[in-house]
Amino acid sequence: MPPNATAAPKPADLSEERGNADWKRSLGIFAAGSILPVSLLMVWQVLGDLGYISELLFPTPLRIVEAFARLAGSDELGGHVQISLIRAAAGFALGGALGLAFGILVGLFRISERILDPSIQMIRMVPHLAVAPLFVLWFGIGESSKILLIAKGAFFPLYIQTYFGIRGVDNKWFEVARVLGFSRIQQIFKLVIPASLPHIFLGIRLSLGLAWLGLVVAEIMGSTSGIGYLMTDARQFSKTATVFVCIILFAVIGKAADASVRWLERRLLKWSDSYGG
């Protein structure tokens, strides 16, 4: 080998370099996204310490951290979080599964669209707070009414996005599928659903957000456990720091769920060549 020649990098070395680059990019994104919230928290703390804002209405970040530590140390917080997660997961699974099924049905068959879509769109316009008292009357104040209220919120985004995803598939692909002799089932699982996945994942993310909204409404309307109940109980006794803890918990858990869906989306949609900004 000539003296100035260099050895080609090994696949393991390339993989390690790529991993380091991805880690640095993720760290840079996290640092950039942290600038605004960290700055706001610092200003909030300083204004609270100087007495420019009322600590009864806006407790400082340090007081909120102290309230969180107190709740976490008493084992009270973990039980409420677990109950809320179970409710949200059950309601999202029910509403999301029905939304996906109805979206595929209405998207594939025009007769289903004519029969079902007008009624579904009318029900979609009914607010959560309007149907919550009815759910309590029909199903009581137990878990059934709460899960169904969460499912109502999770149903519609996934239904609409699945429907539009299917209708957005290029008709030429169906012609190719017919030439290849695909059956109707094969068209659905090998063509329609894969081509609709970007819309379906968007629907999942929107459904998660509305499922959290339904959870808050359900637990505030009538509950003896969960994060929403803890927040309502704290409000009645003017424990503003605890209310902020509950709000932050809703935000953090919701963001974690959304990030998980985005991670799965990136893994399953590597073939999608979309604009990245």
Side-chain angles (χ1 to χ4, degrees):
M1 184 172 63
N4 293 330
T6 58
K10 298 180 180 180
D13 296 335
L14 292 176
S15 177
E16 184 178 353
E17 290 179 3
R18 192 179 301 113
N20 291 334
D22 292 340
W23 169 253
K24 291 179 180 179
R25 183 169 61 251
S26 300
L27 188 61
I29 294 173
F30 176 79
S34 301
I35 293 174
L36 180 60
V38 170
S39 301
L40 290 175
L41 288 174
M42 292 175 63
V43 173
W44 183 0
Q45 181 68 43
V46 171
L47 291 177
D49 291 339
L50 295 177
Y52 287 107
I53 57 177
S54 170
E55 289 206 7
L56 178 62
L57 300 178
F58 293 96
T60 60
L62 287 180
R63 282 194 59 195
I64 295 173
V65 171
E66 291 172 359
F68 173 78
R70 185 170 59 254
L71 287 171
S74 65
D75 294 332
E76 180 183 5
L77 187 63
H80 288 297
V81 171
Q82 182 180 6
I83 291 171
S84 292
L85 287 175
I86 293 173
R87 286 172 181 159
F92 173 76
L94 176 60
L98 289 175
L100 181 63
F102 275 87
I104 293 174
L105 181 65
V106 173
L108 286 175
F109 305 104
R110 191 168 295 277
I111 184 65
S112 299
E113 178 186 12
R114 293 172 180 171
I115 294 173
L116 297 174
D117 190 64
S119 299
I120 292 176
Q121 295 298 337
M122 182 174 63
I123 297 172
R124 183 173 68 90
M125 297 302 173
V126 180
H128 275 63
L129 290 174
V131 298
L134 280 178
F135 278 25
V136 172
L137 287 173
W138 290 343
F139 306 105
I141 60 173
E143 294 300 309
S144 298
S145 59
K146 298 177 180 61
I147 291 175
L148 289 175
L149 192 62
I150 296 167
K152 175 189 177 296
F155 174 87
F156 295 104
L158 196 48
Y159 163 77
I160 293 173
Q161 291 297 326
T162 303
Y163 165 72
F164 279 116
I166 292 174
R167 291 301 173 90
V169 177
D170 195 333
N171 196 49
K172 296 185 179 64
W173 291 110
F174 286 95
E175 296 176 2
V176 172
R178 283 192 288 269
V179 170
L180 295 175
F182 282 10
S183 65
R184 193 62 172 173
I185 299 297
Q186 288 176 319
Q187 288 183 13
I188 293 173
F189 288 99
K190 292 187 177 182
L191 171 62
V192 174
I193 292 181
S196 306
L197 278 179
H199 283 273
I200 291 175
F201 272 109
L202 176 59
I204 292 174
R205 294 176 62 190
L206 295 174
S207 292
L208 281 172
L210 287 183
W212 274 114
L213 176 61
L215 174 69
V216 175
V217 174
E219 292 185 342
I220 288 179
M221 289 292 294
S223 180
T224 58
S225 59
I227 304 174
Y229 162 75
L230 186 64
M231 182 167 59
T232 304
D233 184 69
R235 177 182 59 83
Q236 291 177 348
F237 293 97
S238 299
K239 298 178 180 179
T240 314
T242 302
V243 174
F244 273 94
V245 169
C246 296
I247 293 173
I248 294 170
L249 280 174
F250 276 122
V252 170
I253 296 174
K255 175 60 179 175
D258 182 75
S260 299
V261 175
R262 292 192 65 182
W263 177 85
L264 184 61
E265 181 182 9
R266 287 193 296 268
R267 292 296 182 272
L268 295 180
L269 298 181
K270 289 182 178 181
W271 50 267
S272 179
D273 186 17
S274 57
Y275 176 65

